[in-house]
Amino acid sequence: MQFETLNPVVQALLGTMFTWGVTALGAAVVFLARDISKRVLDTMLGFAAGVMIAASYWSLLAPAIDMSEHLGTWSFVPAAVGFVGGAVFLRLVDMFLPHLHLNAPMSEAEGVSVSWKRSTLLVVAITLHNIPEGLAVGVAFGAVAANIESATLAGAMALALGIGIQNFPEGMAVSVPLRREGMSRFKSFWYGQLSGMVEPIAGVIGAAAVFYARPILPYALAFAAGAMIFVTVEEVIPESQNSDNGDLATMGVIFGFTVMMTLDVALG
């Protein structure tokens, strides 16, 4: 059976299983080394941010606007509403869900107060950030099945590939600090890959929602874009810039943006 003949929900599941697998691959680095240079981590996080920014426009916002052209001068409304909605949703979750950003002390844990361990709070933070990525891939495959002219299977696959590539440093960003703090290799790997497990769930939900409720598609695409930009600006870029490697991280953003733009334009 060929991939293009599969149900869009199954396509989204397979696409996000790939992105989860790359997260696990990044987390598996702890089996090879106890620590990774902060310069390398910051550069790779910058790369991840660049991929997310480019994907938010070319794979999500631009198709959302194209789909709304029949609204005439109001064609920007679905994209604007969905984009703001995605960012506000992530902000609300960020306010209440207990989590801890990478390299932050326990005193800076966010959300409601709980007695969870540091490792659990770190995984929750990365898991929260992976929700919009899985949702974006799922919505992209759902858009193809809905026969949207501006949505192509190659474009959806390019998005899954781009998200997968940037998930590698995210997996490392969880497992390596845990290993550095003395956690066993297996536990560090387990928590690192666990953060990507939410992507297949979000992907299936996103694909099913837009496939069975086509009118919400432009809003859903823009929602995923807003959520991804919120994560990028609120966490990924600041984390990559919090040491003395700002220039390297910035070049990582540029390179990541270029790679994702090239993938989407060339394949989409």
Side-chain angles (χ1 to χ4, degrees):
M1 182 179 293
Q2 295 184 327
F3 186 82
E4 57 266 24
T5 63
L6 296 174
N7 182 281
V9 176
V10 177
Q11 291 178 341
L13 176 62
L14 294 176
T16 48
M17 288 293 286
F18 165 75
T19 62
W20 175 20
V22 181
T23 303
L25 192 62
V29 167
V30 293
F31 290 112
L32 303 176
R34 181 185 181 89
D35 201 358
I36 300 293
S37 165
K38 192 70 168 64
R39 289 163 60 90
V40 172
L41 278 176
D42 288 345
T43 303
M44 295 186 74
L45 282 174
F47 177 89
V51 169
M52 293 173 74
I53 293 171
S56 295
Y57 176 72
W58 269 279
S59 298
L60 300 169
L61 273 179
I65 294 171
D66 289 343
M67 292 172 202
S68 306
E69 286 184 346
H70 65 281
L71 298 177
T73 55
W74 295 96
S75 60
F76 64 88
V77 170
V81 171
F83 187 81
V84 173
V88 170
F89 174 76
L90 258 291
R91 173 56 184 150
L92 291 174
V93 174
D94 192 66
M95 286 174 59
F96 295 104
L97 186 68
H99 64 283
L100 180 67
H101 294 309
L102 295 171
N103 299 317
M106 283 293 288
S107 59
E108 294 182 9
E110 300 179 15
V112 298
S113 179
V114 293
S115 58
W116 295 354
K117 294 181 179 178
R118 176 182 177 84
S119 58
T120 303
L121 292 170
L122 283 170
V123 172
V124 170
I126 300 298
T127 300
L128 169 64
H129 297 168
N130 283 343
I131 291 176
E133 297 170 10
L135 182 64
V137 175
V139 169
F141 280 108
V144 176
N147 295 319
I148 302 300
E149 185 177 351
S150 58
T152 65
L153 182 59
M157 294 175 70
L159 176 61
L161 178 60
I163 295 296
I165 290 172
Q166 67 91 37
N167 273 357
F168 186 86
E170 287 192 352
M172 288 176 55
V174 177
S175 63
V176 170
L178 293 179
R179 178 60 180 157
R180 189 187 301 135
E181 292 177 7
M183 187 174 287
S184 70
R185 283 187 171 88
F186 179 78
K187 280 190 175 181
S188 299
F189 164 74
W190 174 255
Y191 284 120
Q193 67 81 34
L194 193 65
S195 65
M197 196 175 291
V198 71
E199 291 195 8
I201 299 172
V204 167
I205 292 174
V210 300
F211 181 63
Y212 296 108
R214 189 178 183 279
I216 72 168
L217 183 52
Y219 295 92
L221 285 166
F223 182 94
M228 284 179 59
I229 291 295
F230 177 87
V231 167
T232 303
V233 176
E234 197 267 346
E235 170 62 15
V236 182
I237 290 179
E239 174 60 28
S240 71
Q241 298 279 343
N242 71 355
S243 300
D244 295 326
N245 306 314
D247 290 339
L248 286 173
T250 299
M251 291 309 299
V253 172
I254 300 300
F255 185 60
F257 186 96
T258 303
V259 168
M260 186 64 230
M261 177 183 65
T262 302
L263 282 173
D264 193 271
V265 174
L267 300 180

